[in-house]
Amino acid sequence: MKISALRLFNIKRFAGRGVAIEGIGDGVNVLCAANEFGKSTSFEALHALFFQPYSGTAGPVRNLRPYSGGNPLVEADIAHGDQRFRITKQYYRGGFARVTDLASGRLVAQADEAENFINALIKGGPAGPAGLLWVRQGVTGIEKRSNAEEDGEKQVRASLLESVQGEVEAITGGRRMAEIMRAVAGELDKVVTKRGPKAGGRYATAIEARDRLAAEEARLAADVAALREALDKRASAQKRLAELDGADERRERQEAVAAAQANFETAQAQGERLKTAEAELKLARERRDVAERALDAFRTALQKTTDLAAPLHEAERRRDEAIDRRGEAAETIAKAQAAADLADSQEQEARELLARLDAALRAREATERLAESRQRLNEAEAKRGALEDAEAQLALVSIPPDAVEALQALEIELSGLRAVAEAARPSVVVAYVGDARGEVTMDGTPLAEGRERSYDGQAQLIVPGIGVISLRSNRAQSGDSRLEKAEERQRTLLASMGVATLAEARARQAQAQQIDARIRELRGSLSSLAPAGLAKLREEVAAQALAGAEIVEPEGDAAALRAALTAAERERSEARLALREAGPARGRAEDAVVAAETALATLRAEQAHLEAQLGPADQRGARELALSEELADRSRQAEETQVRAAELRAGAVDLVSAEAALKRARSVQSSAEQQIVALREIVAGLNAEIRARSDEAVEESWRETADALSAAKLRVAAFEKEIATLQRLSAALDEARTEARELYLKPVMAELGPLLSLLFNDVSVTFDERTLLPQTISRNGQEEEVERLSGGMREQLSVLTRLAFARLLARDGRPAPVILDDALVYSDDERIEKMFDALHRQSRDQQIIVFSCRQRAFQKLGGNILAMVDWEP
């Protein structure tokens, strides 16, 4: 198969337009253009045409669709043998596939038949032989890929090698071996996969049946075991129930409870009596202790009363001394306070006199300031009135600043225009002679001697004594209207200024300037008189007038008053200092009195407490004797009570032990009754379970299921033996084919060797036995893995390998074009020229289509140069 033309419409960057690549011939065909020109787009469209069904929307198809949407269309003309066909596909909406015979125009196939036609051409889709000969941009085909891609291409390479290598027949059976291996693989595929038994296969079905029967057998075995266990449990429960529910057993338990109850009641009565005796003993001991504490407290209080007499006398002495010191300190402070009060009154009197003097002086100054402010206000108001009058005058006589200059320029312009007009007008000059009677007049105006007078159109001269002379210029009216327009502008400007002449305007301007100077002078004066404005000045005057007071003549001399005030302040400070010095002494005296009174009160309170505790002094001896006798009596009562309690304690039964024995006897009886009830329920439940399982014939079902399970295990074992045999056979065939791999790969090496020699010296390639792809290269005696080679060498090796497989396809009668999309992006200049030689060498009976953006480098490739042109479907 060879491609002669490619056309595409509405694909990726060609949204809404079509392009075509025509004239694709035999040998090397080259399309070189800049990036984003559409080369890779053409490659992807051509690949989709052959390998993507028209009804699909897989990733490669989605990538063809432009962002604006639409339906991508791809068309290619091909030659297959002696026939030429046109293949057309449209994707998405209205999708279709057609194959047309170009010679007759006949529709050969469409829709699915067209897809079958294309599949027959390419032999198995992208994993078929033709799929090996496409090299995408940046993809060498040597790198790691998915298992599906690897396995598909490996199968095609193996099939291709077997079909072109006859010698393999003699060593490994060649195609016959491959057929056997495929048959073995097919048989294995029917029952197992790489992950285990194949779902839905006979082996998987047998395993499922075995597992199902095993589960059923286990369930039934568990039921049989449960039935047997239930029988054993029922027998044991019935035996235990007979033991517990017997008449003798019941009577023994009841007698034990009655004996324990009687013993507990006896111990309980003895315990109550013992508790009463111990309570009496405790009360007697407490009474003895109270009597002992009362006697000790009485004797202690007697001793403290004796010891307290001396401290009490000393406290009274200290209290009296502190009261005397406090009186002295109070008298000193009173004197100092009197002196300070006198100094304060003298200082206040001097300060008031000085304040009256200052107030009189300030009032005088305020009156003077008020008069001055009123004078300034009057002057400012006069200036403000004059200013307003001047501003009003200025508003009447003011002229715009540029108006006078504009009027003057217009006067100059008018003078020139009038001079020009006057020079072009006819004129009359009169020269009087002798005793001429009267003056000649023109249009009522006398004509002076020797003065030239001009006129427009016609004029009349009245000559006294002679008559009227009519003058006509017979001159065409001038078309120059500049003088009239200038005069009109002059009249308009004079009217806007309110004057009649330029001189009057200048006089008005001078008057306005004088008034403006007067206004500036008035404003300066007003600003100096009232910097904050007239309103602020009026407020100040009003405030000063409101705060003003009558003028009071000052009393006395200010210097003398200030000296007197200074002396009074000094005396006041000295008196206050003396008062401050006397204050701490009084405070200490007060503190001493308080401390003495507190100590004395404490001692007197303690003395009062002791006397209240002891009672009258004449009765204290008798009271001490009574307390001693009470202590002796209560001690004797306590000893007697202790003896009675000891006797009861020695003959008492242990209440805790009696209670524990009663509790145990009752527990035994209760536990036995509970066990009887529980055992009866267990026996009833086991009876129901045994009857149910007996009705289901569990043991019979279990035996039948066990027999079926044995048969299922035998079937699974037979399948396992068959699988092991097939796997052993497959391994043996693989070993045999591996031993002949070197000769097996001989066709590829035969084609690849000359191509490698064009680029490299002394280089050999070793193929991977699993993938049938280059695995290592050997050069200069050193072996390197393909994955570790440079990017340029990997892409060169990828292209050369495809060229070798292309030659094998051609020899097998299945020629297919080699299509390269920027497959040599990493190659240097020297290597790329050698690659060009390799391409031309293989293109003798092979079509090669090259897309590249390296225009300068690929100029040296030669071949048939292709171009993209516009195309309309």
Side-chain angles (χ1 to χ4, degrees):
M1 179 186 70
K2 294 182 180 179
I3 300 171
S4 58
L6 172 64
R7 306 175 190 91
L8 44 140
F9 180 80
N10 197 50
I11 291 182
K12 294 184 78 168
R13 67 184 302 272
F14 300 114
R17 57 182 285 237
V19 294
I21 304 173
E22 304 285 354
I24 304 175
D26 296 339
V28 178
N29 296 269
V30 183
L31 175 60
C32 271
N35 288 327
E36 299 295 324
F37 192 76
K39 305 178 301 301
S40 295
T41 299
S42 302
F43 179 93
E44 293 174 10
L46 184 61
H47 193 273
L49 177 68
F50 283 105
F51 299 117
Q52 298 299 327
Y54 74 94
S55 58
T57 56
V61 176
R62 290 196 300 272
N63 292 338
L64 295 181
R65 201 174 197 184
Y67 289 122
S68 59
N71 308 311
L73 175 70
V74 188
E75 181 177 286
D77 294 347
I78 66 166
H80 184 59
D82 297 334
Q83 294 179 301
R84 297 179 65 246
F85 300 97
R86 175 167 293 165
I87 301 174
T88 308
K89 281 187 183 181
Q90 179 171 301
Y91 296 95
Y92 286 100
R93 187 175 181 181
F96 62 84
R98 288 197 301 261
V99 180
T100 307
D101 189 338
L102 290 177
S104 62
R106 178 176 60 88
L107 181 63
V108 176
Q110 61 181 347
D112 293 341
E113 291 301 322
E115 295 289 359
N116 294 334
F117 181 89
I118 296 171
N119 288 334
L121 288 177
I122 60 177
K123 304 292 185 185
L132 299 172
L133 309 182
W134 297 68
V135 182
R136 290 180 182 271
Q137 186 176 15
V139 179
T140 64
I142 301 176
E143 64 277 341
K144 296 290 185 182
R145 291 175 296 171
S146 67
N147 292 335
E149 292 176 332
E150 290 283 357
D151 294 342
E153 291 197 7
K154 172 188 173 183
Q155 184 177 0
V156 174
R157 288 189 289 272
S159 174
L160 180 61
L161 291 174
E162 292 162 359
S163 65
V164 299
Q165 178 53 273
E167 289 88 348
V168 178
E169 293 279 351
I171 300 176
T172 63
R175 288 187 177 180
R176 289 196 299 275
M177 170 182 269
E179 292 173 358
I180 294 172
M181 293 186 70
R182 281 194 292 272
V184 171
E187 291 298 324
L188 284 172
D189 288 342
K190 292 178 182 179
V191 291
V192 292
T193 63
K194 291 182 178 180
R195 296 182 179 180
K198 186 173 183 180
R202 294 177 295 132
Y203 181 40
T205 303
I207 292 177
E208 290 174 0
R210 181 199 63 186
D211 295 342
R212 186 181 67 255
L213 289 171
E216 181 67 15
E217 189 272 339
R219 185 186 68 80
L220 292 173
D223 289 345
V224 171
L227 176 59
R228 292 173 179 173
E229 184 180 0
L231 290 169
D232 295 339
K233 286 182 177 179
R234 185 179 66 177
S236 176
Q238 288 175 342
K239 181 180 179 181
R240 178 58 178 162
L241 181 60
E243 294 174 356
L244 292 174
D245 203 22
D248 295 339
E249 289 291 332
R250 283 182 176 276
R251 186 175 57 258
E252 288 179 4
R253 290 194 295 269
Q254 291 172 357
E255 290 176 355
V257 170
Q261 181 68 38
N263 189 34
F264 173 72
E265 291 174 355
T266 301
Q268 197 172 26
Q270 292 178 350
E272 291 296 330
R273 289 195 297 273
L274 179 60
K275 284 182 180 179
T276 302
E278 288 179 347
E280 293 175 353
L281 175 61
K282 182 177 180 182
L283 179 60
R285 287 174 176 174
E286 288 178 355
R287 289 176 177 177
R288 181 197 61 189
D289 293 341
V290 168
E292 185 176 4
R293 286 195 296 272
L295 180 60
D296 292 341
F298 184 82
R299 289 172 178 173
T300 302
L302 281 176
Q303 183 62 37
K304 284 184 177 180
T305 301
T306 304
D307 297 339
L308 195 61
L312 185 61
H313 182 268
E314 179 66 19
E316 290 174 349
R317 186 187 63 78
R318 289 179 181 176
R319 191 269 315 268
D320 295 339
E321 291 178 355
I323 290 173
D324 294 340
R325 286 196 299 271
R326 182 180 65 181
E328 295 173 359
E331 185 179 356
T332 302
I333 289 175
K335 292 179 180 179
Q337 184 67 46
D341 293 341
L342 178 61
D344 287 342
S345 63
Q346 292 175 351
E347 187 263 347
Q348 183 64 27
E349 182 180 357
R351 189 178 300 280
E352 289 176 355
L353 289 174
L354 185 59
R356 285 198 296 273
L357 178 62
D358 290 340
L361 294 175
R362 284 196 300 272
R364 180 181 295 175
E365 291 175 358
T367 303
E368 293 174 356
R369 284 197 303 273
L370 177 61
E372 181 184 355
S373 297
R374 285 175 174 169
Q375 179 66 26
R376 284 170 50 217
L377 179 61
N378 294 332
E379 292 178 5
E381 288 178 342
K383 296 289 184 182
R384 180 62 183 172
L387 177 62
E388 292 174 350
D389 294 341
E391 288 176 344
Q393 293 175 7
L394 180 62
L396 292 174
V397 302
S398 64
I399 294 176
D402 299 333
V404 175
E405 284 74 9
L407 183 60
Q408 182 175 352
L410 193 57
E411 285 284 346
I412 295 171
E413 182 182 359
L414 281 171
S415 298
L417 292 173
R418 286 172 180 154
V420 172
E422 190 68 25
R425 294 167 65 190
S427 62
V428 175
V429 178
V430 177
Y432 296 99
V433 292
D435 55 352
R437 294 175 298 173
E439 290 182 334
V440 179
T441 61
M442 187 174 77
D443 296 334
T445 303
L447 295 178
E449 170 75 21
R451 270 186 87 173
E452 188 176 15
R453 177 81 177 272
S454 61
Y455 64 92
D456 291 324
Q458 62 181 10
Q460 286 184 343
L461 297 178
I462 300 175
V463 181
I466 297 178
V468 178
I469 302 173
S470 296
L471 303 177
R472 293 183 178 86
S473 65
N474 294 327
R475 180 173 62 87
Q477 186 68 25
S478 175
D480 191 359
S481 61
R482 290 181 298 169
L483 180 60
E484 289 80 0
K485 293 181 179 178
E487 290 175 343
E488 179 63 26
R489 291 201 307 275
Q490 183 189 36
R491 287 192 294 273
T492 303
L493 187 57
L494 288 171
S496 66
M497 291 188 294
V499 296
T501 62
L502 175 61
E504 186 177 348
R506 289 193 179 278
R508 286 269 298 277
Q509 187 181 36
Q511 183 183 0
Q513 290 174 351
Q514 292 175 357
I515 295 172
D516 184 63
R518 174 63 178 163
I519 288 172
R520 287 197 296 272
E521 180 182 354
L522 289 171
R523 284 176 178 168
S525 300
L526 183 60
S527 176
S528 63
L529 291 171
L534 274 176
K536 185 66 175 178
L537 183 57
R538 290 191 186 102
E539 291 177 3
E540 291 177 358
V541 171
Q544 291 173 1
L546 184 64
E550 295 182 358
I551 299 176
V552 180
E553 291 298 328
E555 300 176 359
D557 181 41
L561 290 175
R562 287 191 176 88
L565 177 61
T566 303
E569 288 176 346
R570 183 175 61 255
E571 291 176 1
R572 177 178 176 276
S573 298
E574 291 174 354
R576 290 291 177 187
L577 181 61
L579 180 61
R580 189 179 301 110
E581 290 176 352
R586 180 179 180 180
R588 287 192 296 272
E590 291 285 351
D591 293 342
V593 170
V594 171
E597 289 285 359
T598 302
L600 180 59
T602 302
L603 291 173
R604 285 177 175 175
E606 185 177 358
Q607 183 184 28
H609 174 71
L610 292 173
E611 288 177 352
Q613 184 179 356
L614 293 173
D618 56 348
Q619 298 177 5
R620 291 174 184 174
R623 186 179 177 188
E624 182 178 5
L625 178 60
L627 290 173
S628 299
E629 292 175 352
E630 183 180 4
L631 175 60
D633 183 53
R634 291 188 175 181
S635 297
R636 183 179 65 256
Q637 292 176 359
E639 291 174 356
E640 293 174 354
T641 305
Q642 184 175 2
V643 170
R644 287 197 302 271
E647 292 175 353
L648 290 173
R649 194 180 296 113
V653 178
D654 187 5
L655 180 62
V656 176
S657 300
E659 185 179 7
L662 176 60
K663 186 177 180 180
R664 181 183 61 78
R666 288 175 176 175
S667 174
V668 169
Q669 185 181 30
S670 176
S671 175
E673 293 299 329
Q674 291 176 359
Q675 289 184 46
I676 290 169
V677 174
L679 287 171
R680 286 173 179 170
E681 292 178 355
I682 291 172
V683 169
L686 291 173
N687 286 335
E689 180 181 355
I690 291 167
R691 281 196 300 272
R693 294 188 184 279
S694 299
D695 294 341
E696 293 174 358
V698 175
E699 292 194 5
E700 291 79 358
S701 299
W702 171 58
R703 292 191 182 90
E704 292 173 359
T705 304
D707 294 339
L709 176 60
S710 299
K713 288 180 177 179
L714 292 175
R715 287 195 298 274
V716 172
F719 277 117
E720 290 174 348
K721 183 176 182 181
E722 179 182 356
I723 291 168
T725 302
L726 291 172
Q727 289 174 342
R728 181 67 187 92
L729 177 58
S730 178
L733 292 174
D734 280 339
E735 291 176 4
R737 189 164 63 176
T738 300
E739 293 174 358
R741 184 65 69 188
E742 182 177 355
L743 185 60
Y744 188 62
L745 291 170
K746 201 170 185 180
V748 181
M749 295 305 301
E751 295 294 337
L752 188 59
L755 298 176
L756 289 172
S757 64
L758 291 176
L759 272 74
F760 314 107
N761 296 323
D762 191 24
V763 170
S764 61
V765 178
T766 302
F767 280 77
D768 186 355
E769 296 179 359
R770 184 180 61 84
T771 63
L772 300 181
L773 283 175
Q775 183 181 25
T776 60
I777 68 166
S778 176
R779 52 182 174 179
N780 300 325
Q782 185 175 359
E783 193 173 79
E784 301 177 57
E785 293 183 359
V786 170
E787 292 180 356
R788 301 175 68 87
L789 298 176
S790 66
M793 192 165 184
R794 284 203 308 272
E795 68 181 9
Q796 294 154 18
L797 189 58
S798 169
V799 172
L800 295 179
T801 304
R802 279 169 170 77
L803 292 176
F805 274 104
R807 179 59 62 87
L808 291 180
L809 279 173
R811 286 174 53 187
D812 196 38
R814 294 179 286 171
V818 177
I819 304 174
L820 309 175
D821 178 23
D822 265 332
L824 298 173
V825 295
Y826 301 115
S827 300
D828 55 42
D829 295 340
E830 181 181 356
R831 289 274 182 88
I832 205 168
E833 289 191 17
K834 293 181 179 180
M835 287 298 297
F836 293 163
D837 293 340
L839 291 175
H840 277 280
R841 183 182 185 280
Q842 295 297 101
S843 68
R844 288 174 297 173
D845 52 357
Q846 185 77 36
Q847 185 184 47
I848 300 175
I849 302 175
V850 179
F851 298 98
S852 179
C853 62
R854 301 178 61 184
Q855 302 175 55
R856 183 177 300 175
F858 275 73
Q859 285 179 355
K860 299 179 181 180
L861 175 57
N864 179 30
I865 304 301
L866 303 177
M868 299 180 72
V869 298
D870 290 337
W871 173 68
E872 188 72 26

